[in-house]
Amino acid sequence: MSQIPLIDVKAQYAPLIPELEARFREILEGGQFIRGPHYWAFQEEAAAYLGVSKAVGVANGTDAIVILLDALEIGPGDEVICPAFTFYATAESIARRGATPVFVDIDPATMNVDVEDVAAKITSRTRALMPVHLFGRPAPMKELASLGVPVIEDAAQAFGAPGVAQLGIASTYSFFPTKNLFCLGDGGLVVSNDDELADRVQMLSFHGSRDKTEFDFVGYNSRLDELQAGMLRIFLGHLDEWNRGRREVAARYAELGLGELVELPQDEPGHIYHLFVCRSPERDRIRAALTEAGIASAVYYTTPLHLQPALRFLGNEPGSLPNTEHVAEENFSVPLWPGMPAEAQERVVEVVRSAVGVGARA
Ligand SMILES: Cc1ncc(COP(=O)(O)O)c(C=O)c1O
């Protein structure tokens, strides 16, 4: 039997290859590879799509956070509250600025930050809260925004999720090739309704300059390049259909009874399923059976960020974030991509069923 990958990005863009090739040729003929017409047009189109006033394309999602923190003058002596159950770049960016990542626990039901723990960890040094809309599920933005501290949204995994990028002072995205909106390499974006802040991000990403003649800040060389912007403009036109497709695949897993075997990600209308991350105390047995059957699976953040070697200097101890550490031991994702065939999903569920036994959670 054929293998089932975790995601199939190629299946997503395959029907678009003629259009992508035409765009590539057009850019080759234009000969403008940095800050060309597609770069500016994509910024406008992404801002309009997300319902914000400004978007700035940068080289990747990590730079998006670092440059945004720099634009906000967050650095040594400042604290930024973030989850430890997220990709390393969230906290790395804070530490890269010389600020302190202060880790909070998650709500195990949603895997997003626990608002009560966030509230408890706010101090006079807290300059920002940085929730992550994990795996495509929006963090509890209304509750976070009501805590009286500026919120920066790490939306790397949630491009197009309803309600995201509305209540924070700014949001950051990654276009890494597995994301909901992806490019064919690295890319990132900072968005905001604060035009002055976005203008500063725009300058910082361009050596702190408007024209590369006069330099107002010590900045970065971090731009979304023209080829990626050109491809992203095409992909953006398909994002709604892709995100709908992700929700359909997620709903089908529930219909097929996967929820009787393992704990499924809790659904809500805003969830756009960047990944389909389940939980089970038997995850290792399930994953072994999936591998045996030629079905890919993955686990996330098995060493949560508060226990990563590079961040040990912060002095966080094992046991300090119990929900995070527990979910790190139990989570695993099964294949999901827009348009994933029903038969492939049936096979996944069949293999999980055989691994855990019928009605294991009953
Ligand atoms: C939550 C989160 N933040 C930040 C990033 C960093 O993005 P990039 O890989 O584009 O630097 C990623 C993705 O990789 C991510 O998942």
Side-chain angles (χ1 to χ4, degrees):
M1 259 199 239
S2 60
Q3 307 276 310
I4 302 177
L6 195 61
I7 53 166
D8 192 348
V9 180
K10 235 164 142 183
Q12 279 181 254
Y13 69 71
L16 304 174
I17 287 177
E19 204 181 335
L20 296 169
E21 280 178 347
R23 177 64 48 89
F24 186 62
R25 212 168 307 118
E26 177 215 314
I27 295 171
L28 275 183
E29 281 162 14
Q32 210 181 333
F33 300 108
I34 299 292
R35 288 167 51 109
H38 291 292
Y39 166 82
W40 297 108
F42 175 68
Q43 292 193 164
E44 299 261 321
E45 289 163 8
Y49 179 91
L50 294 168
V52 294
S53 66
K54 284 274 178 338
V56 181
V58 295
N60 54 67
T62 309
D63 278 7
I65 308 174
V66 173
I67 295 173
L68 174 61
L69 292 172
D70 193 332
L72 290 164
E73 297 181 304
I74 292 178
D78 297 330
E79 294 176 355
V80 177
I81 291 180
C82 69
F85 193 66
T86 172
F87 181 58
Y88 179 59
T90 307
E92 181 189 34
S93 310
I94 299 166
R96 169 54 47 221
R97 285 288 309 146
T100 303
V102 174
F103 293 113
V104 289
D105 212 350
I106 53 169
D107 172 350
T110 64
M111 305 191 204
N112 275 324
V113 287
D114 173 347
V115 179
E116 271 182 32
D117 201 26
V118 173
K121 286 178 175 159
I122 293 172
T123 71
S124 57
R125 292 176 170 218
T126 310
R127 288 285 313 280
L129 314 179
M130 196 181 348
V132 177
H133 303 293
L134 200 73
F135 306 138
R137 183 198 177 93
M141 282 304 299
K142 272 199 199 116
E143 292 87 334
L144 291 166
S146 72
L147 295 176
V149 179
V151 183
I152 295 168
E153 304 175 47
D154 180 347
Q157 303 182 1
F159 202 107
V164 166
Q166 298 305 307
L167 297 178
I169 55 164
S171 305
T172 61
Y173 291 92
S174 161
F175 301 129
F176 187 86
T178 57
K179 303 297 195 226
N180 291 54
L181 180 65
F182 58 92
C183 65
L184 306 177
D186 276 316
L189 195 74
V190 180
V191 307
S192 181
N193 279 317
D194 179 338
D195 290 359
E196 226 171 275
L197 177 63
D199 188 50
R200 204 174 157 102
V201 169
Q202 181 83 68
M203 289 178 74
L204 281 171
S205 73
F206 193 54
H207 298 285
S209 175
R210 287 189 198 287
D211 53 12
K212 241 176 158 182
T213 304
E214 201 164 285
F215 300 90
D216 293 7
F217 311 114
V218 174
Y220 305 78
N221 178 14
S222 180
R223 297 155 311 211
L224 181 67
D225 71 63
E226 184 70 359
L227 279 167
Q228 299 303 348
M231 304 299 149
L232 279 161
R233 291 186 70 197
I234 295 172
F235 293 145
L236 186 59
H238 294 270
L239 185 66
D240 285 345
E241 154 204 333
W242 286 340
N243 281 343
R244 260 198 312 276
R246 288 174 183 276
R247 289 190 51 75
E248 281 165 18
V249 172
R252 201 184 296 128
Y253 270 131
E255 282 159 28
L256 289 169
L258 188 60
E260 293 152 27
L261 309 168
V262 299
E263 193 169 323
L264 300 188
Q266 244 184 32
D267 190 42
E268 65 161 57
H271 199 331
I272 52 166
Y273 296 97
H274 164 54
L275 294 164
F276 195 78
V277 181
C278 305
R279 285 176 56 196
S280 170
E282 297 175 273
R283 92 160 168 206
D284 294 343
R285 190 142 62 89
I286 295 169
R287 291 195 68 219
L290 289 168
T291 306
E292 174 94 347
I295 298 169
S297 67
V299 295
Y300 297 92
Y301 320 133
T302 44
T303 302
L305 305 191
H306 66 302
L307 303 177
Q308 286 290 348
L311 300 176
R312 225 171 257 151
F313 72 96
L314 295 168
N316 294 296
E317 296 290 337
S320 57
L321 300 174
N323 292 333
T324 296
E325 291 167 40
H326 185 59
V327 171
E329 283 169 8
E330 286 199 339
N331 84 82
F332 70 104
S333 69
V334 292
L336 177 145
W337 65 90
M340 180 181 179
E343 311 79 69
Q345 289 194 262
E346 283 161 17
R347 249 183 78 205
V348 171
V349 177
E350 207 177 288
V351 173
V352 175
R353 195 181 299 281
S354 68
V356 302
V358 180
R361 298 186 69 237

